[in-house]
Amino acid sequence: QVQLVESGGGLVQPGGSLRLSCSASGSIFSIAAMDWYRQAPGKERGAVASVPTGGIINYADSVKGRFTTSRDNAKNTFYLQMSGLKPEDTAVYYCNAEGILTGGSTFSAWGQGTQVTVSS
C-alpha cells in the first residue's frame, strides 16, 4: 500500500503564492512519475504538472510560467510552487504517484486533495 499526504493549501489573495507538498510512504521500490491535478467546482479533474523520473516536466498551458514543480526522490516527496495565483486557480489540488512496490507490482495512488482558494 502507498499513501500520499498533501499539505500546503489555503486561502490566498490574487497575485500571491502557495507551495503544496505531497509525501509518499509505504512499500515503495521506485516512483516513476509524480503528477499534480486540480478540480474546480463543476469541472473535471485536469492535469497541472507531470514530473516523470528523469524526464521533461510538462505543465498545463494555463499555469506555465507561474507554477513550478519539483521532487525530492530521497524523501519521496514532491512539491508544487504556485505564484501569481489567479481566482481561476481556485480548485482542489491532488497529487498522484505511479511506480513499483517492493513486491514488484505497480501502483498508482492519489493524495486526499487540498483546497486552494484565490480570492480577495
Side-chain angles (χ1 to χ4, degrees), residues 12-17 84-87 117-120:
V12 63
Q13 292 186 342
S17 299
L85 283 162
K86 305 175 181 179
T117 302
V118 184
S119 175
S120 56

Side-chain angles (χ1 to χ4, degrees), residues 31-116:
I31 296 179
M34 292 176 156
D35 306 328
W36 289 97
Y37 292 77
R38 69 184 180 186
Q39 186 168 19
K43 295 186 177 182
E44 293 186 355
R45 189 176 300 185
V48 175
S50 176
V51 193
T53 301
I56 298 173
I57 299 174
N58 295 301
Y59 295 96
D61 289 342
S62 58
V63 307
K64 283 181 180 177
R66 300 187 298 120
F67 290 12
T68 302
T69 188
S70 59
R71 55 189 286 179
D72 185 333
N73 291 323
K75 297 181 179 180
N76 283 340
T77 299
F78 52 123
Y79 308 93
L80 184 67
Q81 178 68 47
M82 306 182 293
S83 60
L85 283 162
K86 305 175 181 179
E88 51 264 42
D89 294 318
T90 295
V92 178
Y93 284 70
Y94 298 90
C95 57
N96 173 263
E98 297 181 347
I100 301 174
L101 299 172
T102 53
S105 58
T106 60
F107 73 88
S108 177
W110 289 91
Q112 80 280 11
T114 186
Q115 177 70 47
V116 172

